[in-house]
Amino acid sequence: MPVISFASSKGGAGKTTSAIILACELAEGANVVVIDADPARRLSRWSTLASLPKRVEVVTSAGERTIQDEIAAGRARASFVLIDLEGAASRLNSFAICESDLVIVPTGDEQQDADEAIETLAQVAMEGRARRREIEAAVLFTRTNAAVKSKLEKHINGELRAAVRTFATELNRRTAFSSLHNAGGGLRQLDRGEVSGIDKAIANAEAFAAEVVDMLEETHHAAVA
Ligand SMILES: Nc1ncnc2c1ncn2[C@@H]1O[C@H](COP(=O)(O)OP(=O)(O)O)[C@@H](O)[C@H]1O
Ligand SMILES: [Mg+2]
């Protein structure tokens, strides 16, 4: 029952949105528990806006004293446990990262975003060293332009891809993704009369979820080999 955390050293990187997208996509075929471990409670707020997709359950964490129990309880009843973290270094984040099979680090493709992503990966590696195990982590480009990238964006994107583990799929900047925070529910529940580009957003989300599942399988095979 893999545990997947969304981490970044600052807010606004796309953690909550990407966690919602992944949760709803995985729930097409599996039970998913999403733990909202950010005191800002944006994911919990999303969960109250509309009926949740079948097989998605949201748990609001009570904090650093309970996060480990909340993760264990999630693992006991779901096929995937997702954790949406606060964009800061905290004990709660350390606990969650240590329990994770995969840490997803969302980032944009501006230089500052890339620097933050590298910093977050360094923090994950440090937690791993403290625990004497390697914690898998990968950078996810979010809010990137679906059509064309500027020369500079291409350069920064390429540099980061060459330096660290990244998802090939980018969760592009899409109205369908940002409108989840207003409408609640998953992409498939959005009103087609009101939100454009839903099919492209679903295809984008599916590609991301498939890559996450592949990455977890690779890691698992490497661990048992
Ligand atoms: N792929 C995306 N496409 C469009 N808007 C996005 C995307 N990812 C994030 N956003 C928007 O950017 C803002 C910050 O994203 P959020 O997921 O809340 O970041 P974090 O949880 O890291 O603070 C939100 O208003 C959200 O709607
Ligand atoms: Mg957030």
Side-chain angles (χ1 to χ4, degrees):
M1 309 303 106
V3 177
I4 305 167
S5 290
F6 286 79
S8 73
S9 55
K10 64 157 191 167
K15 295 179 292 298
T16 303
T17 311
S18 308
I20 291 170
I21 293 168
L22 182 63
C24 296
E25 215 42 61
L26 292 173
E28 285 292 298
N31 290 323
V32 182
V33 165
V34 195
I35 302 175
D36 181 3
D38 180 351
R41 306 267 180 268
R42 293 281 316 277
L43 198 138
S44 302
R45 185 181 160 276
W46 161 78
S47 74
T48 63
L49 297 175
S51 60
L52 287 175
K54 240 188 249 163
R55 293 182 291 271
V56 174
E57 181 193 343
V58 172
V59 173
T60 307
S61 174
E64 69 175 45
R65 284 169 192 264
T66 53
I67 185 72
Q68 284 156 326
D69 293 335
E70 289 154 0
I71 295 170
R75 291 182 71 142
R77 65 175 186 276
S79 304
F80 295 93
V81 178
L82 272 49
I83 313 174
D84 183 29
L85 294 173
E86 179 185 11
S90 68
R91 271 160 60 89
L92 189 155
N93 283 12
S94 298
F95 291 151
I97 286 168
C98 288
E99 299 286 332
S100 296
D101 298 283
L102 176 63
V103 179
I104 297 178
V105 180
T107 186
D109 47 18
E110 287 180 21
Q111 189 59 49
Q112 198 189 333
D113 301 321
D115 294 344
E116 302 272 2
I118 287 177
E119 170 60 26
T120 306
L121 289 175
Q123 281 169 15
V124 174
M126 214 173 69
E127 300 293 349
R129 277 201 298 279
R131 288 290 175 110
R132 295 176 195 275
R133 77 165 180 105
E134 198 171 327
I135 300 170
E136 298 295 328
V139 168
L140 170 70
F141 286 98
T142 61
R143 286 194 288 164
T144 54
N145 201 323
V148 276
K149 283 190 197 298
S150 72
K151 230 174 160 177
L152 181 61
E153 284 166 350
K154 253 190 218 158
H155 175 74
I156 295 166
N157 190 298
E159 294 256 288
L160 196 55
R161 285 189 180 282
V164 301
R165 189 175 195 189
T166 51
F167 287 94
T169 310
E170 305 189 359
L171 286 181
N172 301 122
R173 179 187 300 278
R174 295 179 190 278
T175 315
F177 290 154
S178 52
S179 62
L180 294 173
H181 290 285
N182 303 101
L187 294 168
R188 291 166 182 81
Q189 290 159 257
L190 289 174
D191 183 341
R192 286 175 179 267
E194 276 185 18
V195 183
S196 60
I198 296 177
D199 290 331
K200 280 187 178 158
I202 291 174
N204 196 175
E206 281 174 350
F208 170 48
E211 224 188 321
V212 170
V213 170
D214 283 350
M215 207 176 265
L216 288 168
E217 276 177 4
E218 261 172 44
T219 308
H220 177 72
H221 288 313
V224 294

